[in-house]
Amino acid sequence: MNHAYIFDAIRTPRSKGKPGGNLNEVKPIDLVARLLQELQYKHELDTARVDDVILGCVTPRMDQGTNIAKCAVLHAGWDESVAGVQLNRFCASGLEAVNIASQKVISGWEQLIVAGGVESMSRVPMGSDGGVVVYDPEYLIEQRATPQGVGADLIATLEGWGRDDVDAYAVESQRRAAHAQNAGYFDKSVVPVKDANGVTVLAKDDFIKPDTTMQRLAALKASFTHAESNGLDAAALLKYPVVEKINHVHHAGNSSGIVDGASAVLVGSEKAGKELGLEPRGRVAAGVIIANEPTIMLTGPGPSAEKCLKVAGLKKSDIDLWEINEAFASVAMRYMRDLDIDHDVTNVNGGAIAMGHPLGATGGVLVSTMLDELERQGKKRAMLSMCVGGGMGISTIIERL
């Protein structure tokens, strides 16, 4: 069997995904092209050897519409023979891109692929692409669909976690992220964003809030209390009659931040690596997607990680580091509870609560962050997991070489 080797994994910095954010002036196609050009120059890459560019993008409209992957290939000046495709598996899009690229390489159908994603949330607002989950009341009633935040609050209620519990998790995420950034743990993968004149627009993540405290978070109002008055809580409680009332504990400070960003992971075969002089840093050992209960929506990461272990023929003890996308504090806490793993080995450098979640790009960001951390600690394997809209969960195991 062929292996899917990771030759490199890079990303842009992340910045506030609203007008006024430092990356708002940068088109999403430029975020991607900057990473493609960095891969080309860094590795003296013959771009004609790249078979495909697979990019996750959750809101493919306006600046991100049509097929941003192929457009970015052309915009970066890469060979016209390089194909490109955009995919949308909600928040898992970037990690799904890496998994699909790995499957293509393992099958032998293709030899070298760039996978990752992009999301300019300041220029293309989340949810602006509409769809039945926004505009179809019949579907929402039929599926007893609720916003993800209600699902996160429901998880906290079922687990008995109060406001102090989820806020404490958020404070620790900020502390770890600030420490990692100050110690230079992200420097290897972060590619500064520059304008057309070569002037640096942003060199590092600027969303981290190192001065976060329990007192400051306590001053924030819960974000999803409106769900009680508009019937959304009632829809969730129909599925969970054991719960008398949902305790709304999540807010902007203990949920993933809205940010802009892009990621790119160079995945290929041993043959491609040898012919192009590319030294593999790691490999993708396994990747899976699952789906479970869609109303609570956010409990898929744990089961997906368990399935990923089975696919890889590994045990929990074979995993050195665990990374769960911090969509909400309760999601990460439930992940650790489901898998019976310690916070000491989970999200060791913080997560999306502190640094933000650029939807389609995040999966690729996790690959770069954890590959760097495996190398820094001299560890072997990391499990990457994400909750996904519609009740899905995705996991990927990467190994350091």
Side-chain angles (χ1 to χ4, degrees):
M1 184 182 73
N2 298 315
H3 291 298
Y5 290 110
I6 304 171
F7 297 114
D8 210 351
I10 58 176
R11 65 176 179 90
T12 68
R14 286 165 282 188
S15 188
K16 182 174 69 173
K18 295 181 179 180
N22 283 318
L23 292 179
N24 176 240
E25 67 182 82
V26 184
K27 296 182 293 186
I29 195 174
D30 288 327
L31 293 176
V32 177
R34 174 77 178 97
L35 295 181
L36 295 180
Q37 290 167 345
E38 176 69 13
L39 288 174
Q40 180 181 1
Y41 300 147
K42 181 179 178 181
H43 299 286
E44 298 181 349
L45 184 63
D46 176 4
T47 62
R49 294 295 303 275
V50 178
D51 295 300
D52 203 0
V53 172
I54 307 173
L55 293 182
C57 181
V58 175
T59 316
R61 65 182 299 268
M62 298 166 58
D63 282 348
Q64 296 175 166
T66 65
N67 180 355
I68 192 171
K70 178 56 182 175
C71 295
V73 165
L74 297 173
H75 188 54
W78 277 29
D79 194 272
E80 64 183 17
S81 66
V82 181
V85 63
Q86 170 268 328
L87 64 85
N88 179 8
R89 197 188 283 279
F90 299 138
C91 296
S93 299
L95 196 55
E96 180 74 325
V98 173
N99 287 352
I100 289 175
S102 301
Q103 292 163 359
K104 283 171 170 268
V105 170
I106 290 169
S107 73
W109 283 19
E110 294 179 1
Q111 300 298 313
L112 193 63
I113 302 171
V114 175
V118 62
E119 209 76 39
S120 180
M121 302 181 76
S122 67
R123 298 171 71 96
V124 187
M126 179 172 56
S128 61
D129 53 337
V132 295
V133 295
V134 176
Y135 292 123
D136 190 340
E138 180 182 4
Y139 174 85
L140 297 175
I141 294 171
E142 170 191 278
Q143 297 299 321
R144 295 175 183 170
T146 61
Q148 288 193 351
V150 174
D153 287 338
L154 179 55
I155 290 171
T157 303
L158 288 166
E159 297 294 338
W161 297 323
R163 176 70 178 258
D164 284 351
D165 297 311
V166 290
D167 281 357
Y169 181 91
V171 170
E172 180 62 8
S173 178
Q174 294 282 1
R175 187 197 69 78
R176 292 183 181 196
H179 171 75
Q181 185 177 67
N182 292 335
Y185 295 171
F186 304 139
D187 292 352
K188 186 173 183 177
S189 295
V190 174
V191 177
V193 175
K194 299 182 179 182
D195 64 17
N197 297 314
V199 176
T200 298
V201 176
L202 186 65
K204 64 179 184 178
D205 299 313
D206 66 359
F207 196 78
I208 302 170
K209 300 173 180 62
D211 57 350
T212 299
T213 63
M214 291 290 287
Q215 291 73 27
R216 292 192 175 194
L217 293 186
L220 299 178
K221 293 182 179 180
S223 298
F224 301 97
T225 53
H226 66 280
E228 184 174 1
S229 60
N230 64 18
L232 294 172
D233 274 11
L237 294 177
L238 286 172
K239 281 280 189 79
Y240 294 88
V242 296
V243 176
E244 180 178 348
K245 179 182 172 64
I246 296 175
N247 183 21
H248 291 288
V249 296
H250 286 90
H251 50 76
N254 58 30
S255 308
S256 57
I258 294 172
V259 295
D260 299 336
S263 60
V265 182
L266 186 60
V267 178
S269 66
E270 180 180 13
K271 178 176 182 291
K274 288 182 176 179
E275 291 178 353
L276 295 170
L278 299 169
E279 188 70 27
R281 296 173 58 194
R283 76 178 187 98
V284 178
V288 303
I289 189 79
I290 65 105
N292 59 11
E293 205 280 284
T295 297
I296 202 167
M297 197 183 302
L298 306 173
T299 57
S304 74
E306 291 174 341
K307 181 178 178 181
C308 202
L309 288 171
K310 290 180 181 178
V311 169
L314 299 172
K315 304 182 295 296
K316 280 196 307 180
S317 58
D318 295 317
I319 304 298
D320 300 298
L321 298 172
W322 303 76
E323 189 77 5
I324 170 68
N325 184 44
E326 293 174 349
F328 300 91
S330 66
V331 171
M333 295 166 69
R334 172 68 179 260
Y335 181 74
M336 291 186 287
R337 201 273 290 163
D338 282 349
L339 296 167
D340 191 25
I341 55 177
D342 293 332
H343 202 182
D344 290 345
V345 293
T346 307
N347 289 24
V348 294
N349 292 328
I353 289 173
M355 293 178 282
H357 172 27
L359 302 184
T362 300
V365 171
L366 298 185
V367 174
S368 68
T369 301
M370 294 316 297
L371 186 58
D372 287 352
E373 188 63 17
L374 287 173
E375 292 175 343
R376 190 185 74 81
Q377 293 194 29
K379 298 292 180 64
K380 180 68 174 176
R381 296 185 185 92
M383 175 77 77
L384 321 178
S385 301
M386 305 178 73
C387 59
V388 193
M392 294 182 284
I394 191 170
S395 286
T396 302
I397 297 172
I398 62 172
E399 293 183 351
R400 178 183 67 88
L401 296 180

